[in-house]
Amino acid sequence: MERFSIIKGDIVKAKTDAIVNAANTSLLGGGGVDGAIHRAAGRELLEECETLGGCKTGEAKITHGYKLKAKYVIHTPGPIWRGGKWDEEELLANCYRNSLALAKENGIKTISFPSISTGVYRFPVHLAAEIAVREIMNYLRENPDMEQVTMVCFDDDTKAAYVEALAAYQQA
Ligand code: AR6
């Protein structure tokens, strides 16, 4: 489906209506993509996040984008991988589902995702990619109003995992 693309790049530079942040439950910033988004958006993003009271794993909250090109940031804390028996797969699927539902509520037509949970949170990237591709493709099938979903991968190996997962999804 052409409404879904997988690219290598820096999500901070994305020009989509919204970008998704792989946050933590405090929503008060951190390292990785979260740190990069907060640095680029500026202090006002942190100030708005401070009013939100945190966010549970798998849920999502929306803020403005401030100095980013994106109008909105959707913050979702992914699960920390603890071996796979602690609902990690379901919680990661919830991140994609809840972020997309929030996008829809806010009239967002184009959205960029990072590879949630596969950095500091150590979720195995091939399994994460399978879950992300399934949730995004199912959503696009049911929501013709969503014009473009982009997976913005930071490195070649991550991109390869998502490309492979999309090929497997399309063959199934
Ligand atoms: N653009 C796109 N992807 C990026 C960027 C970027 N600018 N920077 C890193 N990535 P991570 P997590 C990739 O660790 O595993 C934070 O401290 C990165 O290479 O950012 O969900 C939060 O505050 C990897 O593929 O997120 C939490 O405490 C992917 O983004 C915790 O880390 C996710 O890596 C969340 O851990």
Side-chain angles (χ1 to χ4, degrees):
M1 193 187 296
E2 284 134 34
R3 289 188 291 144
F4 180 47
S5 51
I6 300 163
I7 64 167
K8 188 171 105 167
D10 181 349
I11 202 166
V12 160
K13 301 194 175 119
K15 292 178 182 141
T16 45
D17 297 340
I19 65 172
V20 175
N21 181 17
N24 59 59
T25 55
S26 80
L27 298 187
L28 298 179
V33 71
D34 193 7
I37 289 170
H38 274 274
R39 275 193 299 280
R43 254 215 81 77
E44 284 171 298
L45 178 62
L46 182 60
E47 284 166 9
E48 186 175 356
C49 285
E50 281 168 352
T51 69
L52 298 177
C55 184
K56 289 188 187 142
T57 301
E59 296 185 359
K61 292 195 178 175
I62 192 165
T63 65
H64 294 96
Y66 300 101
K67 290 183 186 157
L68 297 169
K69 297 222 163 57
K71 188 173 177 201
Y72 297 105
V73 181
I74 293 175
H75 305 262
T76 183
I80 299 171
W81 181 259
R82 292 195 285 159
K85 296 208 166 91
W86 299 87
D87 285 337
E88 293 96 324
E89 293 182 44
E90 186 60 21
L91 289 165
L92 185 65
N94 288 346
C95 287
Y96 287 92
R97 273 183 221 146
N98 288 323
S99 295
L100 289 163
L102 200 50
K104 184 178 183 167
E105 275 172 40
N106 286 276
I108 289 161
K109 304 263 184 241
T110 60
I111 185 167
S112 299
F113 280 94
S115 177
I116 299 166
S117 282
T118 69
V120 176
Y121 284 177
R122 300 186 316 275
F123 201 110
V125 68
H126 284 90
L127 183 55
E130 190 184 310
I131 293 164
V133 164
R134 182 192 70 216
E135 293 303 327
I136 292 167
M137 294 299 277
N138 286 349
Y139 181 84
L140 285 171
R141 190 175 335 105
E142 289 159 15
N143 291 276
D145 283 357
M146 179 60 78
E147 290 169 10
Q148 188 69 37
V149 178
T150 308
M151 276 302 313
V152 182
C153 304
F154 209 43
D155 57 75
D156 289 318
D157 288 352
T158 302
K159 185 181 170 193
Y162 283 81
V163 168
E164 214 175 281
L166 180 58
Y169 178 91
Q170 285 167 332
Q171 275 160 28

